[in-house]
């Protein structure tokens, strides 16, 4: 079996992730920040260490300004719904995931002005467009660090400079880059960084969060949820300090224990070596796929301008058909369709049919890439000529 | 430490208390997170107990490392 769906959720995980979760369940168990007995304090220490490790990975100025939640979606909703008000303008790109686009479209209905900057067919954004779109009521720039459809990197550093020069906040959706590509909140002028735990940070599902930089006005940031925090319990009002202000309800402590192990694995490997390995395999995969007749491979074609995510289509075959043949004929797991990003597919010209997406992780090998290319060669050769595919699954067959 | 004169740092947030413990332990101080003593009131359930002789150093460390705390009391 070859797993090439890491942009959805990475798999496998380093063994230390499951070990940390088992250790937490068997030996700690308690809720962090709720009680003052030793197990609760130990749970608090484990969670706090995750904040420090993430702060190190992202160069986030203050580990206490990292708020945990379920995933990147929750973090993005907190940043967008919590910060933007009717009359504000927000600038984003046409390569965004629906976890940015849907909250923004909803806010637009409530009076937030939304400017969606067009990207090229390869997913690139011309930074000059950002500057041109700024108006007196602009409050925030929101950018996907890398496309989850074709991997193309967006110009976060330039956007950060523009944001700083114009007194705007920069919110970065790092779902596809956290743990795979270097991120430096201070040097890149990132004010709000949304991450998810279950992709390249190698943690389990149900973990993620928002890193909040010093330029964010906390008085303006409305929490998505209010409730118990274990602090200021005398009061019926929500605390006004981080992380408690935005962390109501019992945390997914066991998941965060696993996330911590994943982040420490990434730190120990080093982003440079992870990136080197992934870029090398990505280029092989791109070149291999591009050499197949009848294939369209989307994106830049240059592994240095993208993450390890590649989209393609085979002439005459629907993405869903290709995905099924890859799974049933070759045990290759990929993701087909629109990848929750209709805007990105419109930008690259693959809406509404979508694409076949291969996405690698640091655990993939050259053999995986060769096997995937060989499988696509065969499927492309069979093409439509083959009999309508008979699924071996009795329920679907 | 129990017989000696001790102080506690009170915090707003549990996460800050945990960070304070880490910072002071790393500096080689003898500290312990304990439930907030009954006669004191605090926003968070744990307090950091330390040797009162170390008071100046504890305070300096917390300030130098940006750990937000509520107050310091002798117990
Ligand atoms: C670019 C991008 N943003 C946001 C998300 C949302 O992440 P999650 O589903 O973990 O909330 C994803 C992945 O699904 C993504 O690829």
């Amino acid at each position: 079996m070859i797993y090439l769906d890491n942009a959805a959720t990475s798999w496998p995980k380093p063994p230390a992730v499951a070990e940390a979760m088992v250790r937490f369940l068997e030996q700690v168990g308690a809720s962090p920040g709720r009680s003052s007995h030793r197990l609760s304090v130990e749970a608090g220490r484990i969670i706090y260490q995750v904040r420090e490790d993430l702060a190190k990975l992202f160069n986030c100025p203050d580990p206490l300004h990292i708020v945990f939640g379920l995933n990147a979606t929750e973090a993005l909703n907190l940043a967008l719904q919590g910060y933007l008000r009717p009359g504000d303008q927000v600038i984003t790109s046409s390569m965004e995931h629906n976890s940015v686009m849907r909250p923004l479209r909803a806010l637009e209905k409530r009076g937030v002005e939304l400017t969606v900057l067009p990207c090229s067919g390869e997913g690139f954004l011309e930074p000059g467009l950002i500057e041109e779109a700024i108006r007196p009521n602009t409050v925030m720039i929101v950018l996907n660090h890398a496309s989850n459809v074709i991997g193309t990197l967006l110009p976060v550093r330039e956007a950060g400079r523009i944001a700083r020069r114009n007194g705007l906040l920069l919110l970065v959706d790092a779902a596809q880059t956290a743990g795979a590509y270097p991120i430096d909140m201070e040097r890149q002028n990132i004010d709000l960084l949304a991450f998810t735990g279950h992709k390249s940070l190698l943690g389990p599902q149900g973990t993620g969060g928002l890193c909040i930089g010093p330029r964010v006005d906390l008085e303006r940031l409305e929490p998505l949820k209010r409730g118990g925090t274990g602090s200021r319990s005398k009061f019926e009002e929500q605390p006004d300090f981080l992380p408690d202000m935005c962390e109501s309800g019992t945390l997914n402590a066991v998941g965060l224990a696993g996330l911590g192990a994943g982040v420490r694995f990434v730190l120990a490997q080093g982003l440079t070596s992870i990136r080197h390995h992934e870029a090398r395999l990505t280029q092989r995969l791109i070149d291999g796929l591009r050499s197949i007749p009848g294939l369209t491979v989307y994106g830049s074609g240059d592994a240095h301008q993208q993450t390890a995510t590649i989209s393609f289509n085979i002439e005459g075959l629907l993405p869903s058909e290709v995905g099924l043949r890859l799974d049933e004929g070759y045990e290759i797991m990929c993701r087909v369709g629109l990848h929750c990003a209709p805007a990105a597919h419109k930008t690259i010209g693959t809406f509404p049919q979508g694409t076949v997406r291969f996405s690698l992780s640091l655990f993939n090998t050259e053999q995986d890439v060769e096997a995937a290319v060989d499988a696509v060669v065969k499927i492309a050769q069979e093409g439509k000529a083959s009999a309508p595919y008979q699924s071996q699954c009795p329920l679907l067959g | 430490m129990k017989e000696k004169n001790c102080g506690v740092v009170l915090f707003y947030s549990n996460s800050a208390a945990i960070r304070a413990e880490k910072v002071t332990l790393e500096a080689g101080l003898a500290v312990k997170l304990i439930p907030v003593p009954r006669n004191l009131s605090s926003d968070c359930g744990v307090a950091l107990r330390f040797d009162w002789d170390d008071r100046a150093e504890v305070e300096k460390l917390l300030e130098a490392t940006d750990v937000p705390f509520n107050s310091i009391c002798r117990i």
Side-chain angles (χ1 to χ4, degrees):
Chain A
M1 190 169 79
I2 300 175
Y3 187 82
L4 299 181
D5 195 16
N6 291 281
T9 286
S10 64
W11 190 83
K13 312 289 185 188
V17 172
E19 283 159 21
M21 295 172 77
V22 169
R23 194 182 80 85
F24 188 91
L25 281 174
E26 289 185 348
Q27 295 173 31
V28 185
S31 270
R34 293 301 187 267
S35 318
S36 45
H37 54 73
R38 73 185 70 182
L39 290 182
S40 176
V41 170
E42 181 57 16
R45 289 189 191 108
I46 289 170
I47 304 302
Y48 176 73
Q49 189 57 46
V50 188
R51 297 185 206 276
E52 280 211 344
D53 294 330
L54 285 165
K56 186 167 167 192
L57 184 64
F58 301 142
N59 195 21
C60 172
D62 188 346
L64 296 179
H65 284 217
I66 297 179
V67 301
F68 288 127
L70 279 176
N71 44 42
T73 303
E74 192 175 58
L76 291 162
N77 273 272
L78 167 61
L80 296 170
Q81 297 191 55
Y83 206 82
L84 297 171
R85 302 280 179 274
D88 292 345
Q89 189 225 12
V90 53
I91 299 170
T92 193
S93 85
S94 71
M95 289 304 287
E96 301 304 310
H97 188 270
N98 266 345
S99 54
V100 164
M101 221 43 122
R102 286 181 171 169
L104 285 179
R105 290 296 180 199
L107 284 164
E108 194 180 25
K109 287 205 177 122
R110 288 184 238 151
V112 170
E113 289 171 38
L114 173 61
T115 303
V116 182
L117 302 175
C119 297
S120 73
E122 294 79 39
F124 290 113
L125 174 65
E126 174 54 53
L129 292 180
I130 303 175
E131 197 114 47
E132 283 168 28
I134 295 173
R135 295 205 292 260
N137 59 338
T138 308
V139 169
M140 191 186 276
I141 302 168
V142 189
L143 278 192
N144 190 350
H145 196 181
S147 164
N148 61 307
V149 178
I150 50 177
T152 307
L153 289 154
L154 290 188
V156 161
R157 189 177 292 271
E158 291 81 353
R161 286 199 202 103
I162 295 169
R164 185 56 60 98
R165 258 204 314 276
N166 291 277
L168 314 177
L169 293 186
L170 173 62
L171 164 61
V172 172
D173 172 1
Q176 290 296 327
T177 49
Y181 197 80
I183 294 173
D184 187 318
M185 284 183 72
E186 291 206 60
R187 282 186 52 200
Q188 294 172 303
N189 292 311
I190 299 171
D191 298 297
L192 293 152
L193 184 81
F195 63 92
T196 201
H198 64 105
K199 302 189 199 254
S200 295
L201 293 174
L202 306 173
Q205 287 106 329
T207 58
L210 184 68
C211 305
I212 301 176
R215 292 197 305 146
V216 177
D217 177 3
L218 294 183
E219 283 181 24
R220 189 183 154 135
L221 184 67
E222 287 272 325
L224 276 183
K225 294 175 271 187
R226 294 180 177 80
T229 58
S231 53
R232 289 186 82 77
S233 296
K234 282 193 300 237
F235 300 96
E236 295 186 2
E237 284 80 31
Q238 188 74 1
D240 58 0
F241 49 83
L242 290 171
D244 303 33
M245 174 182 144
C246 297
E247 278 184 357
S248 292
T250 303
L251 286 173
N252 175 12
V254 61
L256 292 170
L259 173 62
V263 173
R264 287 188 285 281
F265 184 89
V266 167
L267 286 168
Q269 294 287 308
L271 276 183
T272 316
S273 89
I274 292 173
R275 177 76 189 138
H276 181 75
H277 176 77
E278 290 190 4
R280 197 167 51 83
L281 294 190
T282 302
Q283 197 62 56
R284 278 184 89 106
L285 184 53
I286 294 172
D287 295 345
L289 293 174
R290 288 204 163 187
S291 69
I292 304 172
L295 231 71
T296 307
V297 184
Y298 303 95
S300 69
D302 175 6
H304 293 288
Q305 304 195 63
Q306 64 167 85
T307 57
T309 293
I310 295 117
S311 263
F312 65 93
N313 270 319
I314 302 177
E315 204 184 315
L317 285 178
L318 286 173
S320 51
E321 175 68 17
V322 178
L324 191 62
R325 289 194 200 184
L326 283 166
D327 186 350
E328 297 202 335
Y330 303 90
E331 293 190 19
I332 293 174
M333 317 291 132
C334 67
R335 180 166 170 194
V336 299
L338 290 173
H339 314 98
C340 301
H345 279 281
K346 285 175 191 158
T347 304
I348 68 169
T350 49
F351 187 85
Q353 79 279 9
T355 55
V356 184
R357 182 183 76 178
F358 283 159
S359 50
L360 309 169
S361 88
L362 76 168
F363 295 119
N364 285 118
T365 62
E366 272 171 39
Q367 290 90 299
D368 293 343
V369 169
E370 270 156 35
V373 173
D374 288 346
V376 176
V377 168
K378 294 207 186 87
I379 293 169
Q381 277 167 359
E382 291 160 15
K384 273 197 292 205
S386 66
Y389 197 78
Q390 275 295 306
S391 169
Q392 262 121 57
C393 171
L395 286 176
L396 296 174
Chain B
M1 201 154 103
K2 270 193 187 106
E3 282 95 75
K4 279 208 236 154
N5 282 325
C6 288
V8 287
V9 189
L10 303 176
F11 300 92
Y12 300 104
S13 154
N14 180 268
S15 309
I18 303 276
R19 169 143 140 207
E21 180 198 45
K22 187 159 188 259
V23 167
T24 47
L25 282 178
E26 279 169 6
L29 296 173
V31 298
K32 186 172 162 55
L33 285 174
I34 59 164
V36 174
R38 272 247 218 100
N39 55 331
L40 300 174
S41 101
S42 165
D43 288 334
C44 140
V46 289
L48 187 74
R49 188 178 68 191
F50 61 92
D51 184 335
W52 191 248
D53 293 341
D54 294 334
R55 186 206 151 128
E57 199 176 344
V58 167
E59 195 167 349
K60 211 173 73 196
L61 260 175
L62 298 186
E63 270 159 15
T65 50
D66 283 331
V67 182
F69 62 91
N70 185 330
S71 56
I72 293 183
C73 308
R74 191 164 184 167
I75 53 169

